Amino acid sequence: MRAEPGALLDRIQREAAIRLVPLNAALELTVRCDLACAHCYNRDRAGPPPDPMGELTTEEWHRVMGELRDLGSLFLGFTGGEPMLRPDFFALLGHARDLALSVRVLSNGMRIDAAVAERLARYPNLDGVSVSLYGASPFVHDRITGVVGSFERTMAATGRLKAAGVSVRLKFGILRSNVSDAAAMLAFGRASGFKFQADPCVTSRHDGDRSSLAERVPPDALEALYAGPLRALLPPVPSPGGREELMCNTARNIVAISSCGEVHPCIAFPVPAGNVRDQPLAEIWRNSPVLLRLRSLARKDFPACASCSLLDVCRRTPCEAFLNAGADTAADAWMCAEAEAIRKATTVAPPPSPLPVHRTLDLRP
Amino acid sequence: MLESKAPGRFSRRAGLPFQRMGDEILVVDPKARKAHVLKGAAVRIWDLLEKPLAPSDIARALSVEFDVDEVRARRDAEKFLAEIEALGLLERAPTEA
């Protein structure tokens, strides 16, 4: 009955992808946020705030969670924006509990005081809280979030969550504005005792604005980044023989629901496959031309990438290609530069890591 | 024997996430950072444990559904309940007065 959780979950995830079961569902509870990150993929935070009236209501989210349960979902991600800005956040978490659904919350931690941390800890279905950080110091982090004091508040939240017994995972976003601090961020992550991950992926915004791309690490800085701070986080040996698939599990064992009810192949892939306000989710999941097309893509559909010698180290995702290069089957110059940097970094042995590293570069939902 | 040590009724631990995948059930325990897969008769027992039941109730159901004698079904059910109780997947219902 038992197995190593990692191996067991990997097998279940593979089976879900084969059976087309949306085991993992990202629920974008709101696009409102109390930070204004320069690289935010939702929207340009310099503009007027989004209208909360367009968001799914509590009852609508309850219905969606029930539909997800019936479709086979188990792992929900409550994301945003900042999901804890919803006044009904705990009602939604409780409804997921009542449906036996596991929830990971992706939060900036700004609203997590001691009482909230203790309240979160009481939910047996809470998998944990993932907290984004953009620096190892207030100076760097606050400049990117646009909110003075955000680093201190976020870090205080991680301490409160830990004290309450809630699992915390740090997510370091590596950007142009903080790449020179990447080593300090990773050292900070190791010293924190939390699991952590780091990712330099930045996409254009879902509202079409491309100014976020100014925060991408410059291609000529990627080599030093991967040979240095990120080297210890790369898989030990690139898979021989190249990548078999050029698609990830988007639309196979992953689905996302936007704050206004649009069904997306994943949270980072803002192509509407339907809307839960208009159609049953099961109908969209099974019949949407958007999802059917993604599932049908084969190696031959990626002419720019199919025979690339960097495929075994390439981290391309269809959503990143779609948002940054205009098509999910396209090659993106930045991703190619990243793969080159990883290739060079992995041809030499990594420097010794002072402490065990827990993260992977995968974006596990 | 589980029942002789602590007579009572058992149900799934409230709020524990689980989902059916084909003919298996995946149960995850976020607090313990553990995952478990149930197969065969264990799946049926998990379904039955939606409401509090005594081992004898479960044995009776298994005996009929799997065409095994009730003594053996009870022995198997008690063993399984003891195992998943040790894993923290069960809770005991209050004893009726």
Side-chain angles (χ1 to χ4, degrees):
Chain A
M1 188 177 78
R2 278 169 289 171
E4 286 300 313
L8 191 150
L9 290 176
D10 285 349
R11 176 177 71 79
I12 296 289
Q13 291 285 359
R14 280 197 302 275
E15 282 192 28
I18 291 166
R19 294 169 182 265
L20 302 180
V21 173
L23 194 65
N24 316 283
L27 277 52
E28 181 191 72
L29 300 187
T30 179
V31 290
R32 291 173 287 134
C33 190
D34 38 13
L35 299 181
C37 296
H39 63 289
C40 177
Y41 67 76
N42 277 150
R43 52 188 296 279
D44 181 0
R45 299 286 171 184
D51 179 7
M53 299 307 288
E55 295 175 359
L56 295 186
T57 64
T58 309
E59 292 70 28
E60 285 173 318
W61 277 122
H62 284 185
R63 177 173 58 77
V64 168
M65 282 191 259
E67 291 184 277
L68 285 166
R69 175 83 210 171
D70 291 344
L71 270 174
S73 299
L74 177 59
F75 301 109
L76 304 188
F78 280 6
T79 185
E82 170 49 45
M84 299 192 81
L85 282 173
R86 292 247 339 185
D88 58 356
F89 173 84
F90 281 103
L92 298 176
L93 185 57
H95 194 73
R97 175 201 57 209
D98 296 344
L99 291 171
L101 294 167
S102 171
V103 175
R104 173 157 286 274
V105 178
L106 289 84
S107 172
N108 58 33
M110 295 284 282
R111 296 182 162 244
I112 301 177
D113 60 17
V116 169
E118 284 160 18
R119 191 172 178 188
L120 282 166
R122 290 198 288 273
Y123 285 81
N125 61 323
L126 181 71
D127 181 47
V129 179
S130 293
V131 177
S132 297
L133 277 177
Y134 306 110
S137 69
F139 176 74
V140 177
H141 178 87
D142 292 0
R143 196 176 50 192
I144 290 165
T145 64
V147 176
V148 174
S150 56
F151 181 83
E152 297 294 349
R153 288 176 68 178
T154 297
M155 287 313 301
T158 64
R160 292 176 189 129
L161 289 166
K162 184 179 181 182
V166 176
S167 169
V168 175
R169 191 178 300 164
L170 303 180
K171 296 177 69 174
F172 291 112
I174 311 292
L175 309 168
R176 175 188 288 267
S177 297
N178 66 15
V179 67
S180 60
D181 289 343
M185 290 161 68
L186 276 281
F188 179 81
R190 290 186 187 99
S192 73
F194 296 125
K195 288 188 178 182
F196 65 95
Q197 62 188 68
D199 199 327
C201 170
V202 175
T203 65
S204 63
R205 304 188 209 276
H206 292 188
D207 64 2
D209 179 89
R210 294 181 68 82
S211 61
S212 54
L213 294 177
E215 274 297 340
R216 283 212 285 199
V217 174
D220 58 6
L222 285 168
E223 197 172 319
L225 180 65
Y226 276 102
L230 294 189
R231 177 64 183 91
L233 308 184
L234 290 170
V237 181
S239 58
R243 230 167 114 162
E244 289 302 314
E245 301 291 337
L246 281 151
M247 281 296 290
C248 56
N249 281 327
T250 187
R252 301 192 71 87
N253 65 10
I254 296 171
V255 71
I257 316 293
S258 82
S259 60
C260 61
E262 284 184 350
V263 177
H264 295 164
C266 83
I267 193 64
F269 206 153
V271 181
N275 194 301
V276 294
R277 281 176 163 151
D278 305 326
Q279 271 177 292
L281 179 58
E283 198 175 296
I284 298 169
W285 177 251
R286 291 182 184 127
N287 303 325
S288 157
V290 169
L291 304 184
L292 292 175
R293 175 189 161 273
L294 286 170
R295 291 170 193 151
S296 75
L297 289 176
R299 202 177 174 95
K300 65 176 172 52
D301 297 310
F302 299 80
C305 299
S307 57
C308 179
S309 63
L310 296 170
L311 266 186
D312 59 336
V313 292
C314 181
R315 298 178 62 236
R316 88 177 297 288
T317 58
C319 55
E320 199 174 345
F322 170 78
L323 284 164
N324 293 349
D328 48 26
T329 55
D332 175 67
W334 188 92
M335 288 189 283
C336 298
E338 184 192 44
E340 289 269 13
I342 294 173
R343 164 70 83 231
K344 286 180 183 170
T346 51
T347 54
V348 294
S353 177
L355 284 171
V357 173
H358 302 287
R359 67 159 302 278
T360 69
L361 283 163
D362 295 329
L363 285 174
R364 182 188 173 275
Chain B
M1 302 293 275
L2 184 142
E3 194 177 18
S4 62
K5 276 185 193 170
R9 296 179 301 145
F10 301 84
S11 61
R12 300 173 196 151
R13 200 176 99 205
L16 206 58
F18 69 92
Q19 182 57 280
R20 190 178 297 268
M21 176 71 66
D23 54 4
E24 299 176 332
I25 286 179
L26 173 65
V27 185
V28 292
D29 186 348
K31 302 290 179 201
R33 318 305 299 169
K34 286 186 176 165
H36 312 275
V37 166
L38 310 180
K39 299 179 181 183
V43 169
R44 180 62 186 135
I45 296 176
W46 188 258
D47 285 341
L48 290 168
L49 290 169
E50 183 179 9
K51 59 183 182 185
L53 288 176
S56 55
D57 301 324
I58 295 169
R60 205 168 300 120
L62 293 180
S63 170
V64 172
E65 293 175 30
F66 290 85
D67 194 22
V68 293
D69 71 78
E70 202 166 323
V71 174
R72 183 187 153 193
R74 180 162 176 152
R75 188 177 62 231
D76 291 348
E78 286 179 339
K79 184 179 170 193
F80 175 70
L81 290 173
E83 189 179 354
I84 63 173
E85 186 181 36
L87 293 171
L89 308 185
L90 284 189
E91 58 191 21
R92 287 173 184 256
T95 309
E96 289 173 8

